[in-house]
Amino acid sequence: QVQLVESGGGLVQAGGSLRLSCAASGRTFSSLAMGWFRQAPGKEREFVAAISRSGGSTLYADSVKGRFTISRDNAQKAVYLQMNSLNVEDTAVYYCAVDLSGISTRSYEYDYWGQGAQVTVSS
């Protein structure tokens, strides 16, 4: 079992930045591939970014590439999502998730999910 708690969401103006954090507990963190997904109102959940167990490999959705950065600190048992140059289309609930089998972009491969953090970008 893995517990995930996201933090760092909020309201920001377009062009601004936010940093999301996700604290994990319950299993050896360095054995977990991690991902971020988001879901906007009326839309399906979509992949944002993922990072491998060691942090050596990362994946990004095309819509966030160059603006968002995923990172992890295995000593702190945390994964982060630095979001820069935010725009209104980034408004969504952001979810942290664990993939026990390895880094992936597919939500159905993720095994545990956090409760989500609201990110709202105003124009």
Side-chain angles (χ1 to χ4, degrees):
Q1 193 78 354
V2 178
Q3 293 78 43
L4 302 170
V5 179
E6 299 99 336
S7 60
L11 174 64
V12 64
Q13 286 190 329
S17 299
L18 278 177
R19 187 194 195 208
L20 298 180
S21 300
C22 174
S25 61
R27 292 187 67 147
T28 302
F29 185 72
S30 59
S31 69
L32 307 175
M34 304 294 296
W36 288 96
F37 290 78
R38 67 186 182 186
Q39 187 166 18
K43 295 187 177 181
E44 294 186 354
R45 188 172 298 186
E46 65 173 358
F47 169 75
V48 175
I51 190 166
S52 62
R53 298 177 179 98
S54 67
S57 296
T58 56
L59 298 170
Y60 294 94
D62 288 343
S63 59
V64 307
K65 204 171 292 183
R67 300 187 299 122
F68 291 11
T69 302
I70 188 171
S71 61
R72 66 188 295 157
D73 185 334
N74 285 348
Q76 296 296 321
K77 301 180 181 180
V79 63
Y80 308 99
L81 186 68
Q82 178 66 43
M83 305 183 292
N84 299 328
S85 301
L86 285 160
N87 56 57
V88 174
E89 290 72 34
D90 296 315
T91 295
V93 177
Y94 284 71
Y95 297 91
C96 169
V98 166
D99 188 342
L100 297 178
S101 60
I103 188 172
S104 171
T105 64
R106 296 178 284 271
S107 62
Y108 61 82
E109 293 190 0
Y110 282 75
D111 304 279
Y112 299 99
W113 295 80
Q115 82 288 353
Q118 176 69 48
V119 171
T120 303
V121 184
S122 63
S123 59

